Amino acid sequence: MPAYHPPTEEMLALLEEVLQAGPALAALPLSPDGAEGDPLPLLRDVLEEAGRFAAGALAPLNRSGDEEGCRLENGVVRVPQGFTEAYAAFVAGGWGGLSQAPEWGGQGLPRAAQILLDEMMASANFSFGLFPGLTRGAVEAIERHASEDLKARYLPKLVSGEWCGAMALTEPQAGTDLGLLRTRAEPQPDGSLRVTGGKIFITAGDHEMAENIVHLVLARLPDAPPGVRGISLVLVPKYLPDAEGRPGARNAMSVGALERKMGIHASPTCVMNYDGATGWLVGAPHRGLAAMFTMMNAERLFVGIQGLGIAEAAYQGAVAYARERRQGRAAGEKGEAAQPILVHPDVKRMLLTIRAFTGAGRALALWVALRMEEAARHPDPAARAEAEGHVALLTPVIKAAFTDLGFEAAVLGQQVLGGHGYVREWGMEQLVRDARIAQIYEGTNGVQAMDLAGRKLSVEDGALPARFFALVRAEIEAAGGTPAPRPTPRRWPPR
């Protein structure tokens, strides 16, 4: 597989020229870190360094991590060689807190920086990106719903990345229908909960890369009503923090097995057993599903960006191959010398299909990132509510469309390589295997369609899509009088 080249110039061009994000962000009130003015010069430096980290530290581990995989040894989950060191470098670089609140040790940068970092990690090493991605979702759920004591105890370590997060929802009989879950949470005299039950498909449920792993577990209290209205959210750490907040005694939880999967081999997908584990309630009793959806929605956006990252990696690998591989000649060409397969129309079609998605998908993702800033910082409540509506409407779209198109891009990239795309040495078959999970986890894409059609389109009698399409119409009308740009010679393929 060719070396990964972070597309930072394309990312910055979208922010600076297409979305004009600098003035848009500067017009909002102070960012969480108190900074004023145009943040794009700083973001340029941050993204260039993020690209160097992704290309230099993560991409070289992608194939070896896939081939070695994770393993369970005497109850301990081992990740592939090099991952622990790469994660330590990730933490030391402050990448875990890039867009997190300074109150908890984060850097408070715009969400656009986080989305672009997530894309680069997905392109360079899909499995590695899952560890910090899940941690960030746990941070958002705890920050919004947990008690002040739990926030103070857990958020600084999670934001820094010293501790990791995991989401424990699925049970053998309860997948999409979480109302069927059976895990129990029994109140204890000291205010804690005793959690008993089993979960499956728990991504990054256990490993030794971080000092601690904080599980957010869906469970039922003894007086819980049936169905989803009886679900509570419980924070269950792998190690119980001591009086100084350091990892102390091992909690009563263990890994029963690791799933043997089609892809993401370097990310441990665990069967988790909670045998009277100590935990604490997050949010109100029986309101755990609402709290968990804070994390779930954050993860759905993150997974959509994974699809975008896979597509970018597929394009880079395919176009590099198409430049070098010589087979046949272009239509109408004469001579005996074979030409690069880039001259063939079908190869161009496949490469342009991938490029069409990566360019448009990245632009849409960054547009949503700007709406998230407005939802958090705009002084007008009505403007905040409108921005929140755009994010809510587009979350299932990004998750489903980006992962469907990301998988299609991986398959197209594999097709460009022909037989070489089917063998391990070239890396394309790994992209296909890794990409497939994104259409499944964090709610299958069919579930995203149900969410969009059954909920988001009908909110406020259709107000969410009406506002969005009004913006689209306004943009089209505003561009109607714009002169067409003069044709300029273009190099094929781009980059």
Side-chain angles (χ1 to χ4, degrees), residues 385-463:
E386 182 173 342
E388 287 175 357
H390 291 318
V391 176
L393 176 69
L394 291 173
T395 292
V397 174
I398 286 177
K399 196 282 181 185
F402 281 30
T403 58
D404 281 347
L405 293 170
F407 180 72
E408 179 183 347
V411 172
L412 287 173
Q414 184 183 43
Q415 190 73 14
V416 169
L417 271 68
H420 287 154
Y422 201 67
V423 297
R424 296 183 66 86
E425 286 78 5
W426 293 84
M428 278 295 176
E429 61 88 32
Q430 181 186 343
L431 294 183
V432 173
R433 290 185 289 105
D434 285 349
R436 187 64 182 90
I437 185 58
Q439 297 168 290
I440 298 172
Y441 60 14
E442 308 306 342
T444 65
N445 287 357
V447 169
Q448 306 308 311
M450 292 168 61
D451 179 35
L452 179 65
R455 298 186 183 93
K456 304 300 172 54
L457 295 183
S458 60
V459 169
E460 300 177 34
D461 295 324

Coordinates of all heavy atoms in Angstrom, one line a residue, residues 385-463:
A385 N -30.8 26.9 18.4 CA -31.8 25.8 18.2 C -31.8 25.4 16.7 O -31.9 24.2 16.4 CB -33.2 26.2 18.6
E386 N -31.7 26.4 15.8 CA -31.7 26.0 14.4 C -30.5 25.2 14.0 O -30.6 24.3 13.2 CB -31.8 27.3 13.5 CG -31.8 27.1 12.0 CD -32.1 28.3 11.2 OE1 -32.5 29.3 11.8 OE2 -31.8 28.3 10.0
A387 N -29.3 25.6 14.5 CA -28.1 24.9 14.3 C -28.2 23.5 14.8 O -27.8 22.5 14.2 CB -26.9 25.6 14.9
E388 N -28.7 23.3 16.0 CA -28.9 22.0 16.6 C -29.8 21.1 15.7 O -29.6 19.9 15.5 CB -29.5 22.1 18.0 CG -28.5 22.6 19.0 CD -29.2 22.8 20.4 OE1 -30.4 22.6 20.5 OE2 -28.5 23.2 21.3
G389 N -30.8 21.8 15.1 CA -31.7 21.0 14.2 C -31.0 20.5 13.0 O -31.2 19.4 12.5
H390 N -30.1 21.4 12.4 CA -29.3 20.9 11.2 C -28.5 19.7 11.6 O -28.4 18.8 10.8 CB -28.5 22.1 10.7 CG -29.2 23.2 10.1 ND1 -30.3 23.0 9.2 CD2 -29.1 24.5 10.2 CE1 -30.8 24.1 8.8 NE2 -30.1 25.1 9.4
V391 N -27.8 19.8 12.8 CA -26.9 18.7 13.2 C -27.8 17.4 13.4 O -27.4 16.3 12.9 CB -26.2 19.1 14.5 CG1 -25.3 17.9 14.9 CG2 -25.3 20.3 14.2
A392 N -28.9 17.5 14.1 CA -29.7 16.4 14.3 C -30.2 15.7 13.0 O -30.3 14.5 12.9 CB -30.9 16.8 15.2
L393 N -30.6 16.6 12.1 CA -31.1 16.1 10.8 C -30.1 15.3 10.0 O -30.3 14.3 9.4 CB -31.7 17.3 9.9 CG -32.2 16.9 8.5 CD1 -33.5 16.1 8.6 CD2 -32.3 18.2 7.7
L394 N -28.9 15.9 10.0 CA -27.8 15.3 9.2 C -27.0 14.2 9.8 O -26.2 13.5 9.1 CB -26.9 16.5 8.7 CG -27.6 17.4 7.7 CD1 -26.7 18.6 7.4 CD2 -27.9 16.7 6.4
T395 N -27.1 14.0 11.1 CA -26.4 13.0 11.8 C -26.7 11.6 11.2 O -25.7 10.9 10.8 CB -26.6 12.9 13.3 OG1 -26.1 14.1 13.9 CG2 -26.0 11.7 14.0
P396 N -27.9 11.1 11.0 CA -28.1 9.8 10.4 C -27.7 9.8 8.9 O -27.4 8.8 8.4 CB -29.6 9.6 10.6 CG -30.2 10.9 10.8 CD -29.2 11.7 11.5
V397 N -27.8 11.0 8.2 CA -27.4 11.0 6.8 C -25.9 10.8 6.7 O -25.5 10.0 5.9 CB -27.8 12.4 6.2 CG1 -27.3 12.5 4.8 CG2 -29.3 12.6 6.2
I398 N -25.1 11.5 7.5 CA -23.7 11.3 7.5 C -23.3 9.9 7.8 O -22.4 9.3 7.2 CB -23.0 12.4 8.4 CG1 -23.1 13.8 7.7 CG2 -21.6 12.0 8.7 CD1 -22.5 14.9 8.6
K399 N -23.9 9.4 8.9 CA -23.5 8.0 9.3 C -23.8 7.0 8.2 O -22.9 6.2 7.8 CB -24.3 7.6 10.6 CG -23.7 6.4 11.3 CD -24.1 5.1 10.7 CE -23.5 3.9 11.4 NZ -23.7 2.6 10.8
A400 N -25.0 7.1 7.6 CA -25.4 6.1 6.6 C -24.8 6.3 5.3 O -24.1 5.4 4.7 CB -26.9 6.0 6.5
A401 N -24.9 7.5 4.8 CA -24.4 7.8 3.4 C -22.9 7.7 3.3 O -22.3 7.1 2.4 CB -24.9 9.2 3.0
F402 N -22.2 8.3 4.3 CA -20.7 8.2 4.3 C -20.2 6.8 4.4 O -19.2 6.5 3.8 CB -20.2 9.1 5.4 CG -20.2 10.6 5.1 CD1 -21.1 11.2 4.3 CD2 -19.2 11.4 5.7 CE1 -21.2 12.5 4.1 CE2 -19.2 12.8 5.5 CZ -20.2 13.3 4.7
T403 N -20.8 6.0 5.2 CA -20.3 4.6 5.3 C -20.6 3.8 4.1 O -19.8 2.9 3.7 CB -20.8 4.0 6.6 OG1 -22.2 4.0 6.7 CG2 -20.3 4.7 7.9
D404 N -21.8 4.0 3.6 CA -22.2 3.3 2.3 C -21.2 3.7 1.2 O -20.7 2.8 0.5 CB -23.6 3.6 1.9 CG -24.6 2.8 2.7 OD1 -24.3 1.8 3.4 OD2 -25.8 3.1 2.6
L405 N -21.0 5.0 1.1 CA -20.1 5.4 0.0 C -18.7 5.1 0.3 O -17.9 4.9 -0.6 CB -20.3 6.9 -0.2 CG -21.7 7.3 -0.8 CD1 -21.9 8.8 -0.7 CD2 -21.9 6.9 -2.2
G406 N -18.3 5.1 1.6 CA -16.9 4.7 1.9 C -16.6 3.3 1.5 O -15.6 3.0 1.0
F407 N -17.6 2.4 1.8 CA -17.4 1.0 1.4 C -17.4 0.9 -0.1 O -16.5 0.1 -0.7 CB -18.5 0.1 2.0 CG -18.4 -1.3 1.6 CD1 -17.5 -2.1 2.2 CD2 -19.3 -1.9 0.7 CE1 -17.3 -3.5 1.9 CE2 -19.2 -3.2 0.4 CZ -18.2 -4.0 1.0
E408 N -18.2 1.6 -0.8 CA -18.2 1.5 -2.3 C -16.9 2.0 -2.8 O -16.3 1.5 -3.7 CB -19.4 2.4 -2.8 CG -19.4 2.5 -4.3 CD -20.5 3.4 -4.9 OE1 -21.3 3.8 -4.1 OE2 -20.4 3.7 -6.1
A409 N -16.3 3.1 -2.2 CA -15.1 3.6 -2.6 C -14.0 2.6 -2.4 O -13.1 2.4 -3.3 CB -14.7 4.9 -1.8
A410 N -14.0 1.9 -1.3 CA -13.0 0.8 -1.0 C -13.1 -0.3 -2.1 O -12.0 -0.8 -2.6 CB -13.1 0.2 0.4
V411 N -14.3 -0.7 -2.5 CA -14.5 -1.7 -3.5 C -14.0 -1.2 -4.8 O -13.3 -1.9 -5.6 CB -15.9 -2.2 -3.5 CG1 -16.2 -3.1 -4.7 CG2 -16.3 -2.9 -2.2
L412 N -14.3 0.1 -5.2 CA -13.8 0.6 -6.4 C -12.3 0.7 -6.5 O -11.7 0.4 -7.5 CB -14.5 2.0 -6.6 CG -15.9 2.1 -7.0 CD1 -16.4 3.5 -7.0 CD2 -16.2 1.4 -8.3
G413 N -11.7 1.1 -5.4 CA -10.3 1.2 -5.3 C -9.7 -0.2 -5.5 O -8.7 -0.4 -6.2
Q414 N -10.3 -1.2 -4.9 CA -9.8 -2.6 -5.1 C -10.0 -3.0 -6.6 O -9.1 -3.6 -7.1 CB -10.6 -3.5 -4.2 CG -10.2 -5.0 -4.2 CD -11.1 -5.8 -3.4 OE1 -12.3 -5.7 -3.4 NE2 -10.5 -6.7 -2.6
Q415 N -11.0 -2.6 -7.2 CA -11.3 -2.9 -8.6 C -10.2 -2.3 -9.5 O -9.8 -2.9 -10.5 CB -12.7 -2.5 -9.0 CG -13.1 -3.0 -10.4 CD -13.5 -4.5 -10.4 OE1 -13.6 -5.1 -9.3 NE2 -13.6 -5.1 -11.5
V416 N -9.8 -1.1 -9.2 CA -8.8 -0.4 -10.0 C -7.5 -1.3 -10.0 O -6.8 -1.4 -11.1 CB -8.5 1.0 -9.5 CG1 -7.2 1.6 -10.1 CG2 -9.6 1.9 -9.7
L417 N -7.2 -1.9 -8.9 CA -6.0 -2.7 -8.8 C -6.1 -4.1 -9.4 O -5.2 -4.9 -9.5 CB -5.5 -2.9 -7.4 CG -4.6 -1.8 -6.8 CD1 -5.3 -0.4 -6.7 CD2 -4.0 -2.2 -5.5
G418 N -7.4 -4.5 -9.8 CA -7.6 -5.8 -10.4 C -7.1 -6.9 -9.5 O -7.5 -6.9 -8.3
G419 N -6.4 -7.9 -10.0 CA -6.0 -9.0 -9.2 C -5.1 -8.6 -8.0 O -5.2 -9.2 -6.9
H420 N -4.3 -7.5 -8.2 CA -3.5 -7.0 -7.1 C -4.4 -6.5 -5.9 O -3.9 -6.4 -4.8 CB -2.5 -6.0 -7.5 CG -1.4 -6.5 -8.4 ND1 -0.7 -5.8 -9.3 CD2 -0.8 -7.8 -8.4 CE1 0.2 -6.6 -9.9 NE2 0.2 -7.8 -9.3
G421 N -5.6 -6.1 -6.2 CA -6.5 -5.6 -5.2 C -7.0 -6.7 -4.3 O -7.5 -6.4 -3.2
Y422 N -6.9 -7.9 -4.8 CA -7.4 -9.0 -4.0 C -6.4 -9.7 -3.1 O -6.8 -10.6 -2.3 CB -8.0 -10.0 -5.0 CG -9.0 -11.0 -4.4 CD1 -10.3 -10.5 -4.0 CD2 -8.8 -12.3 -4.3 CE1 -11.2 -11.3 -3.5 CE2 -9.7 -13.2 -3.8 CZ -10.9 -12.7 -3.3 OH -11.9 -13.5 -2.8
V423 N -5.2 -9.3 -3.2 CA -4.1 -9.9 -2.4 C -3.7 -8.9 -1.3 O -3.8 -7.7 -1.5 CB -2.9 -10.4 -3.2 CG1 -3.4 -11.5 -4.2 CG2 -2.3 -9.2 -4.0
R424 N -3.1 -9.5 -0.2 CA -2.9 -8.7 1.0 C -1.8 -7.6 0.8 O -1.9 -6.5 1.4 CB -2.5 -9.6 2.1 CG -3.6 -10.6 2.5 CD -3.1 -11.4 3.7 NE -3.0 -10.6 4.9 CZ -3.9 -10.3 5.8 NH1 -5.2 -10.8 5.5 NH2 -3.7 -9.6 6.9
E425 N -0.8 -7.9 0.0 CA 0.4 -7.0 -0.1 C 0.0 -5.6 -0.5 O 0.8 -4.7 -0.1 CB 1.4 -7.6 -1.1 CG 2.2 -8.8 -0.6 CD 1.3 -10.1 -0.6 OE1 0.2 -10.1 -1.2 OE2 1.8 -11.1 -0.2
W426 N -1.0 -5.4 -1.3 CA -1.3 -4.1 -1.8 C -2.2 -3.3 -0.8 O -2.4 -2.1 -1.1 CB -1.9 -4.2 -3.2 CG -0.9 -4.7 -4.2 CD1 -0.6 -6.0 -4.4 CD2 -0.1 -3.9 -5.0 NE1 0.4 -6.0 -5.4 CE2 0.7 -4.8 -5.8 CE3 0.1 -2.5 -5.2 CZ2 1.6 -4.3 -6.7 CZ3 1.0 -2.1 -6.1 CH2 1.8 -3.0 -6.9
G427 N -2.8 -3.9 0.2 CA -3.6 -3.2 1.2 C -5.0 -2.9 0.9 O -5.7 -2.5 1.8
M428 N -5.5 -3.0 -0.4 CA -6.8 -2.7 -0.7 C -7.8 -3.6 -0.1 O -8.9 -3.2 0.3 CB -7.0 -2.6 -2.2 CG -6.6 -1.3 -2.8 SD -7.6 0.1 -2.3 CE -6.7 1.4 -3.1
E429 N -7.5 -4.9 0.0 CA -8.5 -5.8 0.6 C -8.7 -5.6 2.0 O -9.8 -5.8 2.6 CB -8.0 -7.3 0.3 CG -6.7 -7.7 0.9 CD -6.9 -8.2 2.4 OE1 -7.9 -8.8 2.7 OE2 -5.9 -8.0 3.1
Q430 N -7.7 -5.0 2.7 CA -7.9 -4.6 4.1 C -8.8 -3.5 4.2 O -9.7 -3.4 5.1 CB -6.5 -4.3 4.8 CG -6.7 -3.9 6.3 CD -5.5 -3.4 6.9 OE1 -4.4 -3.6 6.4 NE2 -5.6 -2.7 8.1
L431 N -8.7 -2.5 3.3 CA -9.7 -1.4 3.4 C -11.1 -1.9 3.2 O -12.0 -1.4 3.9 CB -9.3 -0.4 2.3 CG -8.0 0.4 2.4 CD1 -7.8 1.4 1.3 CD2 -7.9 1.1 3.7
V432 N -11.3 -2.8 2.3 CA -12.7 -3.3 2.1 C -13.2 -4.0 3.4 O -14.3 -3.8 3.8 CB -12.7 -4.3 0.9 CG1 -14.0 -5.0 0.8 CG2 -12.3 -3.6 -0.4
R433 N -12.3 -4.8 4.0 CA -12.7 -5.5 5.2 C -13.0 -4.6 6.4 O -14.0 -4.7 7.1 CB -11.7 -6.6 5.6 CG -11.6 -7.7 4.7 CD -10.7 -8.8 5.2 NE -9.3 -8.4 5.1 CZ -8.5 -8.1 6.1 NH1 -9.0 -8.0 7.3 NH2 -7.2 -7.7 5.9
D434 N -12.1 -3.6 6.5 CA -12.3 -2.6 7.6 C -13.5 -1.7 7.4 O -14.3 -1.5 8.3 CB -11.0 -1.7 7.7 CG -9.9 -2.5 8.4 OD1 -10.0 -3.6 8.9 OD2 -8.7 -1.9 8.3
A435 N -13.7 -1.3 6.1 CA -14.8 -0.4 5.9 C -16.2 -1.0 6.2 O -17.1 -0.3 6.5 CB -14.8 0.0 4.4
R436 N -16.3 -2.3 6.0 CA -17.6 -3.0 6.1 C -18.3 -2.8 7.5 O -19.5 -2.6 7.6 CB -17.5 -4.5 5.8 CG -18.8 -5.2 5.7 CD -19.6 -4.7 4.5 NE -20.9 -5.3 4.4 CZ -22.0 -4.9 5.0 NH1 -22.0 -3.8 5.8 NH2 -23.1 -5.5 4.9
I437 N -17.5 -2.7 8.6 CA -18.1 -2.6 9.9 C -18.8 -1.3 10.1 O -19.8 -1.2 10.8 CB -17.1 -2.8 11.0 CG1 -17.7 -2.8 12.4 CG2 -16.0 -1.7 10.9 CD1 -18.8 -3.9 12.6
A438 N -18.4 -0.2 9.4 CA -18.9 1.1 9.6 C -20.4 1.2 9.2 O -21.2 2.0 9.7 CB -18.1 2.1 8.9
Q439 N -20.8 0.3 8.3 CA -22.2 0.3 7.9 C -23.1 -0.5 8.9 O -24.3 -0.4 8.9 CB -22.4 -0.4 6.6 CG -21.7 0.3 5.4 CD -21.6 -0.6 4.2 OE1 -20.9 -1.6 4.1 NE2 -22.4 -0.2 3.2
I440 N -22.4 -1.1 9.9 CA -23.2 -2.0 10.8 C -23.2 -1.4 12.2 O -24.3 -1.3 12.9 CB -22.5 -3.4 10.9 CG1 -22.6 -4.0 9.5 CG2 -23.1 -4.2 12.0 CD1 -21.8 -5.3 9.4
Y441 N -22.0 -1.0 12.8 CA -22.1 -0.6 14.2 C -22.6 0.8 14.4 O -22.7 1.6 13.5 CB -20.7 -0.8 14.9 CG -19.5 -0.2 14.4 CD1 -19.4 0.9 13.5 CD2 -18.2 -0.6 14.9 CE1 -18.2 1.5 13.1 CE2 -17.0 -0.1 14.5 CZ -17.0 1.0 13.6 OH -15.9 1.6 13.2
E442 N -22.8 1.2 15.6 CA -23.5 2.4 16.1 C -24.9 2.6 15.4 O -25.3 3.7 15.1 CB -22.6 3.6 15.7 CG -21.2 3.5 16.3 CD -21.1 3.2 17.8 OE1 -22.1 3.4 18.5 OE2 -20.0 2.8 18.2
G443 N -25.6 1.5 15.2 CA -26.9 1.5 14.6 C -26.7 1.3 13.1 O -26.1 2.1 12.4
T444 N -27.2 0.2 12.6 CA -27.0 -0.2 11.2 C -27.6 0.9 10.3 O -28.4 1.8 10.8 CB -27.8 -1.5 10.9 OG1 -29.2 -1.3 11.0 CG2 -27.3 -2.6 11.8
N445 N -27.2 0.9 9.1 CA -27.7 2.0 8.2 C -29.2 1.9 7.9 O -29.8 3.0 7.6 CB -26.9 2.0 6.9 CG -25.5 2.5 7.1 OD1 -25.1 2.9 8.2 ND2 -24.7 2.5 6.1
G446 N -29.8 0.8 8.1 CA -31.2 0.7 8.1 C -31.8 1.4 9.2 O -32.9 2.1 9.1
V447 N -31.2 1.3 10.4 CA -31.7 2.0 11.6 C -31.6 3.5 11.4 O -32.4 4.3 11.8 CB -30.9 1.6 12.8 CG1 -31.2 2.5 14.0 CG2 -31.3 0.2 13.2
Q448 N -30.5 4.0 10.7 CA -30.3 5.4 10.4 C -31.4 5.9 9.5 O -32.0 7.0 9.7 CB -29.0 5.7 9.7 CG -27.8 5.1 10.5 CD -27.7 5.6 11.9 OE1 -27.9 6.8 12.2 NE2 -27.5 4.7 12.8
A449 N -31.8 5.1 8.5 CA -33.0 5.4 7.7 C -34.3 5.6 8.5 O -35.1 6.5 8.2 CB -33.1 4.4 6.6
M450 N -34.5 4.6 9.4 CA -35.6 4.7 10.3 C -35.6 6.0 11.1 O -36.6 6.7 11.3 CB -35.7 3.5 11.2 CG -36.0 2.2 10.4 SD -35.7 0.7 11.5 CE -36.9 1.0 12.8
D451 N -34.4 6.3 11.6 CA -34.3 7.5 12.4 C -34.6 8.8 11.6 O -35.4 9.7 12.0 CB -32.9 7.6 13.0 CG -32.6 8.9 13.8 OD1 -33.6 9.3 14.5 OD2 -31.5 9.4 13.8
L452 N -34.1 8.8 10.4 CA -34.3 10.0 9.5 C -35.8 10.1 9.1 O -36.4 11.1 9.3 CB -33.4 9.9 8.3 CG -33.6 11.0 7.3 CD1 -33.1 12.3 7.9 CD2 -32.8 10.7 6.0
A453 N -36.3 9.0 8.6 CA -37.7 9.1 8.1 C -38.7 9.1 9.2 O -39.8 9.7 9.1 CB -37.9 7.9 7.1
G454 N -38.5 8.3 10.2 CA -39.5 8.2 11.3 C -39.4 9.2 12.4 O -40.4 9.5 13.1
R455 N -38.3 9.9 12.5 CA -38.2 10.9 13.6 C -37.8 12.3 13.0 O -38.6 13.3 13.2 CB -37.1 10.5 14.6 CG -37.4 9.2 15.3 CD -36.4 8.9 16.4 NE -36.7 7.7 17.1 CZ -36.1 6.5 16.7 NH1 -35.3 6.5 15.7 NH2 -36.4 5.4 17.4
K456 N -36.7 12.4 12.4 CA -36.1 13.7 12.0 C -37.0 14.5 11.0 O -37.1 15.7 11.1 CB -34.7 13.6 11.5 CG -33.8 12.9 12.5 CD -33.7 13.6 13.8 CE -32.9 12.8 14.9 NZ -31.6 12.3 14.5
L457 N -37.5 13.8 10.0 CA -38.3 14.5 9.0 C -39.6 15.0 9.5 O -40.2 15.9 8.9 CB -38.6 13.5 7.8 CG -37.3 13.1 7.0 CD1 -37.7 12.2 5.8 CD2 -36.5 14.3 6.5
S458 N -40.1 14.4 10.6 CA -41.4 14.8 11.1 C -41.4 15.7 12.3 O -42.4 16.2 12.8 CB -42.2 13.6 11.5 OG -41.6 12.8 12.5
V459 N -40.1 16.0 12.8 CA -40.0 16.9 14.0 C -40.6 18.3 13.7 O -40.3 18.8 12.6 CB -38.5 17.0 14.4 CG1 -38.3 18.1 15.4 CG2 -38.1 15.7 15.0
E460 N -41.4 18.8 14.6 CA -42.0 20.2 14.4 C -42.7 20.2 13.1 O -42.6 21.2 12.4 CB -40.9 21.3 14.5 CG -40.2 21.3 15.8 CD -39.1 22.4 15.8 OE1 -39.3 23.4 15.2 OE2 -38.0 22.1 16.4
D461 N -43.4 19.2 12.7 CA -44.2 19.2 11.5 C -43.3 19.4 10.3 O -43.7 20.1 9.3 CB -45.4 20.2 11.5 CG -46.4 19.8 12.6 OD1 -46.6 18.6 12.8 OD2 -46.9 20.8 13.2
G462 N -42.2 18.8 10.3 CA -41.3 18.9 9.1 C -40.4 20.2 9.1 O -39.8 20.5 8.0
A463 N -40.3 20.8 10.2 CA -39.5 22.1 10.2 C -38.0 21.8 10.0 O -37.3 22.7 9.3 CB -39.6 22.8 11.6

